[in-house]
Amino acid sequence: MSTDPGTLSDVRRTERDRGVFRRRIVGTIVVLAVVAGGFAFASVMQGPRLEAGQIDAASATRLAGEQLTLTINQPVASIDAEAVEVEPVASVSAAADDRSILITFERPLDYAAEYTVRVPNVVGAYQGTPAMLEYRFETPDEEVYSLLRRSDQGEDDIVQRTSFAHPETEVVFAAPRIQEFARVDDILAVVTVGEQDRNDLFLSQGDQPQPAEVGLPDDASIRELAASTTHPLIGFVLDTPARDGVKQYEATLMTMDLSGAGPAEPQPVLGLDGAALRAAAWAFVPGSTSLIVQAFDKSLFLIDVLGLQPVTPLGVHDEIRGFIAGTSDLVVADPDRGALIDLADGTTATLELASADLADNVYTGRIAMLDESRYLVTLTMVDIEGGRTVRSSMLAEVDAEGELRQVFAPASDTSSVRDYCVSPNGQYVAVAVSGEQSRPDSYSHNPGYTQTMTSIVEIATARTVLSLQGGFSDWCAD
């Protein structure tokens, strides 16, 4: 039987093609194996890799102790916590937890800043090659508000705002007479003054054309309006006139929840006995839904507005001096000493503040603590020139050793620092100044001075970064 030569040729060609295909497949597998091995080797040599980072940047500008969580591709065996670097410089602590590295910021962060965090010598559980991890994030801009009173000139009073990134001034509320205001995010709470000094309370939101009036008793009087810097809460002290010898509200502290979860209605703050508390002074606690209330017998209480915690007595103290920025460390003063109450654990420590060496003609004013040892203080210098008394003033910082550093002084020697308030992150201070020709503005509650200007000053550098007409910075209403 004979074989067709054409058929033999086809068979040999098919076998040859199959051999080439097999060799190509084997070659491809070898190449892929080499590449995969190379990637595996490179992975081992490169060490751990960063997969994600997470931080609430807005909260980090208002609270100490906020965390940046860095997630890597394998469990962490070790890190060099002491070598963590942050630009701009910030004090941090670091710890590892499984595949996460937790960076805790010990102080609130700067506004409108880009931060770079570097964690060197990160060793994973799968191999011993250390890696440098780097993460960048930005903090939000901060809006700055002030109240410009113009009723003495026959014009509406206005609440205006600006910001560090966009310094143009914008009017956000106007009324014939405005007593005070406070801000919760984009909601503005404004107390106006009507006939016979009657107060009205309005809530104005950016996307609403008209402000909403809050229902209050007839002839109500409001004072000490303030807002939480970290929660959608406002509070104020409410008084009503006597009816048949009885007052419905007398120095009653009221709060309002503006979260939108329910109707925003004023609710009285209740004391230990379950009755509405009469408040001589009060303040919101940063980072919580609680507030501090001082009764008229000078007793202090820590009270949760939402009723989630029982009322906690804090002893008797002469004066509330606010909180160290971004913390729950309450500063109080008594005739013989100052003290710091840590509301997180209830401990109290005496404040040992250094005194600056001042001349005999220099007088100190209000103190605001920047941390456990540094503070701001207003200084007034009194001189006799040509038979008349001349006063000048400044705002200064005093450090732990008693060294005094000027933070701000008015451009004119005859202008006076009327008030100042530290920003929620402790980075800036709003300083209200009025000139020699200014006069009291005749407002019964929350009085001020005509011809007032507010300067926003960076405390660390004493650099003025913004200037606004008017006073009553919203940082004062926290």
Side-chain angles (χ1 to χ4, degrees):
M1 180 177 179
S2 62
T3 302
D4 186 349
T7 302
L8 287 173
S9 176
D10 291 341
V11 170
R12 292 190 185 103
R13 186 183 304 111
T14 300
E15 290 178 349
R16 184 172 61 249
D17 290 344
R18 287 175 177 170
V20 171
F21 179 73
R22 283 194 296 269
R23 288 193 296 272
R24 287 177 177 173
I25 288 294
V26 171
T28 300
I29 292 173
V30 170
V31 170
L32 290 176
V34 170
V35 171
F39 280 138
F41 178 76
S43 176
V44 169
M45 295 305 293
Q46 287 177 357
R49 294 193 306 274
L50 179 64
E51 291 187 341
Q54 184 176 12
I55 185 172
D56 186 337
S59 291
T61 63
R62 294 186 172 267
L63 291 173
E66 290 296 287
Q67 286 188 332
L68 165 65
T69 301
L70 301 177
T71 303
I72 67 172
N73 65 337
Q74 59 185 282
V76 179
S78 66
I79 62 172
D80 188 352
E82 299 298 323
V84 174
E85 297 179 354
V86 181
E87 294 180 9
V89 175
S91 297
V92 298
S93 58
D97 181 16
D98 192 30
R99 294 175 57 225
S100 297
I101 298 174
L102 307 176
I103 310 295
T104 302
F105 294 93
E106 296 176 3
R107 295 293 181 190
L109 301 182
D110 293 350
Y111 303 122
E114 181 178 326
Y115 280 87
T116 300
V117 179
R118 297 184 183 90
V119 186
N121 302 322
V122 180
V123 178
Y126 300 152
Q127 43 73 30
T129 304
M132 165 72 80
L133 304 183
E134 184 174 288
Y135 184 76
R136 290 184 174 86
F137 67 93
E138 294 183 2
T139 55
D141 192 16
E142 171 76 354
E143 292 182 332
V144 181
Y145 289 68
S146 70
L147 168 59
L148 175 58
R149 287 180 175 162
R150 308 182 300 181
S151 58
D152 62 315
Q153 305 167 35
E155 298 184 67
D156 281 353
D157 293 347
I158 57 174
V159 177
Q160 53 192 353
R161 71 180 171 201
T162 184
S163 73
F164 298 107
H166 304 284
E168 301 82 8
T169 301
E170 176 188 9
V171 176
V172 293
F173 193 94
R177 299 183 76 201
I178 298 175
Q179 176 177 296
E180 53 195 317
F181 73 96
R183 176 174 66 99
V184 172
D185 295 328
D186 66 338
I187 301 176
L188 199 67
V190 183
V191 177
T192 62
V193 184
E195 295 180 359
Q196 300 179 342
D197 281 347
R198 181 185 185 278
N199 287 138
D200 292 303
L201 176 61
F202 292 91
L203 299 178
S204 175
Q205 196 160 11
D207 58 355
Q208 295 178 348
Q210 295 294 328
E213 184 174 358
V214 177
L216 296 173
D218 291 339
D219 300 324
S221 174
I222 293 176
R223 52 190 169 87
E224 297 181 38
L225 175 71
S228 168
T229 58
T230 54
H231 288 76
L233 299 168
I234 65 168
F236 54 88
V237 176
L238 180 66
D239 287 281
T240 53
R243 308 291 187 193
D244 298 325
V246 178
K247 289 186 176 183
Q248 181 183 4
Y249 296 102
E250 184 178 11
T252 303
L253 180 58
M254 311 288 287
T255 61
M256 293 178 64
D257 183 352
L258 305 184
S259 65
E265 296 180 355
Q267 300 293 330
V269 174
L270 306 181
L272 280 170
D273 58 359
L277 196 61
R278 296 178 64 237
W282 74 280
F284 280 112
V285 180
S288 77
T289 58
S290 296
L291 46 78
I292 290 292
V293 186
Q294 183 183 45
F296 281 89
D297 64 358
K298 299 185 178 180
S299 299
L300 291 188
F301 300 94
L302 174 65
I303 302 176
D304 185 274
V305 173
L306 304 182
L308 303 178
Q309 300 292 332
V311 178
T312 304
L314 296 174
V316 177
H317 296 280
D318 260 33
E319 184 182 353
I320 296 175
R321 289 189 173 176
F323 292 86
I324 294 177
T327 76
S328 59
D329 294 337
L330 175 66
V331 182
V332 296
D334 291 302
D336 58 341
R337 66 180 186 128
L340 198 63
I341 304 175
D342 184 346
L343 298 181
D345 59 19
T347 58
T348 300
T350 300
L351 279 175
E352 301 289 351
L353 299 183
S355 298
D357 186 14
L358 302 175
D360 292 340
N361 67 327
V362 178
Y363 300 89
T364 59
R366 184 169 69 87
I367 286 175
M369 299 297 301
L370 296 175
D371 55 32
E372 294 78 2
S373 59
R374 297 181 304 123
Y375 60 93
L376 295 177
V377 60
T378 51
L379 302 176
T380 301
M381 288 68 72
V382 180
D383 293 295
I384 305 298
E385 297 179 2
R388 72 186 189 99
T389 302
V390 177
R391 290 180 173 83
S392 58
S393 62
M394 62 180 284
L395 180 68
E397 176 191 332
V398 180
D399 66 16
E401 286 71 44
E403 293 295 322
L404 185 145
R405 178 179 65 90
Q406 177 179 300
V407 173
F408 177 84
S412 170
D413 290 341
T414 56
S415 294
S416 298
V417 173
R418 299 295 186 183
D419 196 10
Y420 70 94
C421 299
V422 178
S423 64
N425 72 343
Q427 181 182 5
Y428 297 98
V429 59
V431 189
V433 173
S434 57
E436 190 176 21
Q437 303 304 315
S438 69
R439 295 290 180 267
D441 59 18
S442 74
Y443 283 65
S444 300
H445 294 304
N446 202 32
Y449 287 84
T450 61
Q451 303 177 32
T452 297
M453 291 285 296
T454 294
S455 295
I456 307 298
V457 183
E458 188 174 45
I459 297 172
T461 63
R463 179 174 61 96
T464 298
V465 297
L466 289 172
S467 293
L468 303 88
Q469 288 186 303
F472 304 104
S473 165
D474 66 314
W475 296 342
C476 300
D478 296 333

mmCIF file of all heavy atoms in Angstrom, residues 405-423:
data_model
loop_
_atom_site.group_PDB
_atom_site.id
_atom_site.type_symbol
_atom_site.label_atom_id
_atom_site.label_comp_id
_atom_site.label_asym_id
_atom_site.label_seq_id
_atom_site.Cartn_x
_atom_site.Cartn_y
_atom_site.Cartn_z
ATOM 1 N N ARG A 405 6.495 88.103 75.632
ATOM 2 C CA ARG A 405 6.670 88.377 74.211
ATOM 3 C C ARG A 405 5.431 89.083 73.681
ATOM 4 O O ARG A 405 4.313 88.632 73.894
ATOM 5 C CB ARG A 405 6.882 87.072 73.429
ATOM 6 C CG ARG A 405 7.019 87.238 71.921
ATOM 7 C CD ARG A 405 7.252 85.901 71.247
ATOM 8 N NE ARG A 405 6.119 85.000 71.380
ATOM 9 C CZ ARG A 405 5.099 84.941 70.496
ATOM 10 N NH1 ARG A 405 5.091 85.752 69.452
ATOM 11 N NH2 ARG A 405 4.121 84.082 70.680
ATOM 12 N N GLN A 406 5.632 90.196 72.990
ATOM 13 C CA GLN A 406 4.501 90.927 72.417
ATOM 14 C C GLN A 406 3.895 90.132 71.262
ATOM 15 O O GLN A 406 4.592 89.707 70.353
ATOM 16 C CB GLN A 406 4.950 92.301 71.920
ATOM 17 C CG GLN A 406 3.832 93.100 71.242
ATOM 18 C CD GLN A 406 4.283 94.464 70.786
ATOM 19 O OE1 GLN A 406 4.716 95.276 71.613
ATOM 20 N NE2 GLN A 406 4.204 94.724 69.489
ATOM 21 N N VAL A 407 2.587 89.945 71.323
ATOM 22 C CA VAL A 407 1.859 89.272 70.254
ATOM 23 C C VAL A 407 1.170 90.289 69.350
ATOM 24 O O VAL A 407 1.150 90.155 68.132
ATOM 25 C CB VAL A 407 0.829 88.286 70.833
ATOM 26 C CG1 VAL A 407 -0.057 87.693 69.741
ATOM 27 C CG2 VAL A 407 1.532 87.174 71.589
ATOM 28 N N PHE A 408 0.627 91.354 69.968
ATOM 29 C CA PHE A 408 -0.057 92.386 69.183
ATOM 30 C C PHE A 408 -0.078 93.688 69.953
ATOM 31 O O PHE A 408 -0.278 93.711 71.166
ATOM 32 C CB PHE A 408 -1.497 91.958 68.875
ATOM 33 C CG PHE A 408 -2.294 92.996 68.130
ATOM 34 C CD1 PHE A 408 -2.207 93.078 66.744
ATOM 35 C CD2 PHE A 408 -3.110 93.886 68.800
ATOM 36 C CE1 PHE A 408 -2.925 94.039 66.046
ATOM 37 C CE2 PHE A 408 -3.834 94.848 68.117
ATOM 38 C CZ PHE A 408 -3.742 94.929 66.736
ATOM 39 N N ALA A 409 0.109 94.783 69.215
ATOM 40 C CA ALA A 409 -0.057 96.129 69.764
ATOM 41 C C ALA A 409 -0.771 96.972 68.717
ATOM 42 O O ALA A 409 -0.468 96.867 67.523
ATOM 43 C CB ALA A 409 1.291 96.753 70.118
ATOM 44 N N PRO A 410 -1.739 97.794 69.120
ATOM 45 C CA PRO A 410 -2.429 98.646 68.149
ATOM 46 C C PRO A 410 -1.456 99.572 67.422
ATOM 47 O O PRO A 410 -0.411 99.957 67.965
ATOM 48 C CB PRO A 410 -3.403 99.442 69.020
ATOM 49 C CG PRO A 410 -3.593 98.621 70.254
ATOM 50 C CD PRO A 410 -2.265 97.958 70.488
ATOM 51 N N ALA A 411 -1.807 99.920 66.185
ATOM 52 C CA ALA A 411 -0.949 100.804 65.392
ATOM 53 C C ALA A 411 -0.807 102.168 66.043
ATOM 54 O O ALA A 411 0.254 102.797 65.985
ATOM 55 C CB ALA A 411 -1.507 100.935 63.982
ATOM 56 N N SER A 412 -1.871 102.629 66.692
ATOM 57 C CA SER A 412 -1.840 103.909 67.392
ATOM 58 C C SER A 412 -1.638 103.676 68.885
ATOM 59 O O SER A 412 -2.278 102.803 69.484
ATOM 60 C CB SER A 412 -3.150 104.671 67.166
ATOM 61 O OG SER A 412 -3.226 105.807 68.007
ATOM 62 N N ASP A 413 -0.743 104.452 69.477
ATOM 63 C CA ASP A 413 -0.466 104.299 70.908
ATOM 64 C C ASP A 413 -1.686 104.590 71.771
ATOM 65 O O ASP A 413 -1.776 104.106 72.906
ATOM 66 C CB ASP A 413 0.678 105.231 71.325
ATOM 67 C CG ASP A 413 2.020 104.799 70.756
ATOM 68 O OD1 ASP A 413 2.113 103.618 70.358
ATOM 69 O OD2 ASP A 413 2.939 105.625 70.704
ATOM 70 N N THR A 414 -2.619 105.378 71.239
ATOM 71 C CA THR A 414 -3.782 105.768 72.041
ATOM 72 C C THR A 414 -4.976 104.828 71.833
ATOM 73 O O THR A 414 -6.018 105.032 72.440
ATOM 74 C CB THR A 414 -4.205 107.207 71.707
ATOM 75 O OG1 THR A 414 -4.466 107.311 70.310
ATOM 76 C CG2 THR A 414 -3.113 108.191 72.102
ATOM 77 N N SER A 415 -4.830 103.820 70.967
ATOM 78 C CA SER A 415 -5.892 102.831 70.793
ATOM 79 C C SER A 415 -5.794 101.773 71.891
ATOM 80 O O SER A 415 -4.719 101.553 72.459
ATOM 81 C CB SER A 415 -5.792 102.164 69.421
ATOM 82 O OG SER A 415 -6.052 103.109 68.393
ATOM 83 N N SER A 416 -6.923 101.128 72.165
ATOM 84 C CA SER A 416 -6.980 100.175 73.269
ATOM 85 C C SER A 416 -7.421 98.801 72.791
ATOM 86 O O SER A 416 -8.308 98.680 71.940
ATOM 87 C CB SER A 416 -7.967 100.654 74.350
ATOM 88 O OG SER A 416 -7.556 101.890 74.895
ATOM 89 N N VAL A 417 -6.791 97.757 73.354
ATOM 90 C CA VAL A 417 -7.255 96.390 73.148
ATOM 91 C C VAL A 417 -8.481 96.191 74.034
ATOM 92 O O VAL A 417 -8.388 96.220 75.255
ATOM 93 C CB VAL A 417 -6.157 95.369 73.503
ATOM 94 C CG1 VAL A 417 -6.711 93.944 73.437
ATOM 95 C CG2 VAL A 417 -4.955 95.522 72.588
ATOM 96 N N ARG A 418 -9.637 96.009 73.393
ATOM 97 C CA ARG A 418 -10.887 95.878 74.144
ATOM 98 C C ARG A 418 -11.191 94.435 74.535
ATOM 99 O O ARG A 418 -11.754 94.176 75.599
ATOM 100 C CB ARG A 418 -12.044 96.437 73.310
ATOM 101 C CG ARG A 418 -11.917 97.903 72.955
ATOM 102 C CD ARG A 418 -11.968 98.790 74.176
ATOM 103 N NE ARG A 418 -11.981 100.207 73.816
ATOM 104 C CZ ARG A 418 -11.966 101.204 74.693
ATOM 105 N NH1 ARG A 418 -11.930 100.924 76.005
ATOM 106 N NH2 ARG A 418 -11.960 102.452 74.286
ATOM 107 N N ASP A 419 -10.843 93.501 73.661
ATOM 108 C CA ASP A 419 -11.141 92.101 73.932
ATOM 109 C C ASP A 419 -10.275 91.248 73.023
ATOM 110 O O ASP A 419 -9.715 91.743 72.039
ATOM 111 C CB ASP A 419 -12.622 91.808 73.683
ATOM 112 C CG ASP A 419 -13.080 90.487 74.307
ATOM 113 O OD1 ASP A 419 -12.305 89.903 75.090
ATOM 114 O OD2 ASP A 419 -14.201 90.053 74.008
ATOM 115 N N TYR A 420 -10.156 89.978 73.335
ATOM 116 C CA TYR A 420 -9.449 89.046 72.461
ATOM 117 C C TYR A 420 -9.984 87.642 72.697
ATOM 118 O O TYR A 420 -10.458 87.319 73.787
ATOM 119 C CB TYR A 420 -7.932 89.094 72.682
ATOM 120 C CG TYR A 420 -7.468 88.520 73.997
ATOM 121 C CD1 TYR A 420 -7.071 87.195 74.100
ATOM 122 C CD2 TYR A 420 -7.409 89.309 75.155
ATOM 123 C CE1 TYR A 420 -6.642 86.662 75.311
ATOM 124 C CE2 TYR A 420 -6.976 88.786 76.368
ATOM 125 C CZ TYR A 420 -6.597 87.465 76.434
ATOM 126 O OH TYR A 420 -6.176 86.926 77.629
ATOM 127 N N CYS A 421 -9.922 86.807 71.665
ATOM 128 C CA CYS A 421 -10.396 85.432 71.762
ATOM 129 C C CYS A 421 -9.493 84.540 70.930
ATOM 130 O O CYS A 421 -9.150 84.872 69.795
ATOM 131 C CB CYS A 421 -11.835 85.306 71.240
ATOM 132 S SG CYS A 421 -13.015 86.298 72.162
ATOM 133 N N VAL A 422 -9.126 83.397 71.478
ATOM 134 C CA VAL A 422 -8.247 82.447 70.801
ATOM 135 C C VAL A 422 -9.077 81.548 69.894
ATOM 136 O O VAL A 422 -10.194 81.151 70.239
ATOM 137 C CB VAL A 422 -7.471 81.606 71.840
ATOM 138 C CG1 VAL A 422 -6.585 80.569 71.161
ATOM 139 C CG2 VAL A 422 -6.634 82.508 72.731
ATOM 140 N N SER A 423 -8.543 81.227 68.717
ATOM 141 C CA SER A 423 -9.238 80.354 67.775
ATOM 142 C C SER A 423 -9.390 78.958 68.361
ATOM 143 O O SER A 423 -8.626 78.557 69.248
ATOM 144 C CB SER A 423 -8.473 80.286 66.449
ATOM 145 O OG SER A 423 -7.196 79.690 66.631
#
